[in-house]
Amino acid sequence: MSDSGSPRVTRLLPDGVHQAAKPGTAVVRLETTHDRRGVLDGAWWPRSRDIAAELPALIAALAEHLGPVTRVGLDVGAWEGLPTRLVIDDRVVHIDSFQVGDDTVLITRGEQDLFSLLVVPPHATPDAARAAMAEAVRAGNVAQAEQILIDTGTDRAAPEM
């Protein structure tokens, strides 16, 4: 039996962020300690599956907080026309592609720093995308990206027309 006087736990982002989250948004939680208990460091909601069109804005946003990004790992089946590298802000960013079937993008800064972001499918509804992004950055989250998308009603495949 639950105590009706206890505060209700919400998984939504704070109101200001919740309203601003739209396709093209990146929500990133940067850990300040070496104890990284969560599976994901953040989430990204691209507008399309065209990586050449989508990745520069993400890299530019991350570079502001992380410094230069050197490498990006992506699922080859989730993106259209993956190059092996892109030049973003006069820097070469290497693109690694794997057939892993997951819903993440891996960001490498320097030689060893690795950040894992949930990729919310471009076709996601705003409510499902916001819920998925909030869960991805929730402190202590241990759910894998695929499970977060399932739990929030966002599946990987685009809806059939």
Side-chain angles (χ1 to χ4, degrees):
M1 177 172 263
S2 67
D3 178 11
S4 61
S6 63
R8 183 170 176 225
V9 176
T10 181
R11 292 180 152 174
L12 296 178
L13 299 168
D15 288 341
V17 175
H18 182 78
Q19 298 302 323
K22 59 186 182 279
T25 299
V27 176
V28 181
R29 177 192 73 233
L30 300 175
E31 295 288 342
T32 57
T33 68
H34 289 86
D35 182 13
R36 294 172 73 182
R37 285 178 245 146
V39 172
L40 298 162
D41 299 298
W44 176 40
W45 188 13
R47 292 179 181 94
S48 72
R49 292 291 184 181
D50 179 356
I51 200 64
E54 300 296 331
L55 195 58
L58 175 65
I59 297 302
L62 291 175
E64 264 185 59
H65 300 283
L66 301 176
V69 172
T70 57
R71 194 169 285 290
V72 175
L74 300 163
D75 177 18
V76 71
W79 300 96
E80 300 165 359
L82 280 176
T84 58
R85 68 182 58 114
L86 287 172
V87 176
I88 301 171
D89 293 334
D90 297 326
R91 290 184 161 280
V92 174
V93 177
H94 297 276
I95 310 292
D96 297 324
S97 57
F98 307 98
Q99 288 189 319
V100 293
D102 73 2
D103 303 286
T104 60
V105 59
L106 302 175
I107 305 294
T108 305
R109 171 185 72 173
E111 295 298 315
Q112 296 180 345
D113 287 340
L114 184 68
F115 299 89
S116 180
L117 307 179
L118 167 75
V119 177
V120 177
H123 68 273
T125 66
D127 286 342
R130 289 178 185 122
M133 294 173 90
E135 185 62 18
V137 298
R138 185 176 56 82
N141 170 52
V142 294
Q144 298 293 324
E146 180 181 28
Q147 190 61 51
I148 290 172
L149 295 179
I150 290 168
D151 291 349
T152 58
T154 305
D155 62 6
R156 189 170 186 211
E160 298 198 21
M161 298 288 173

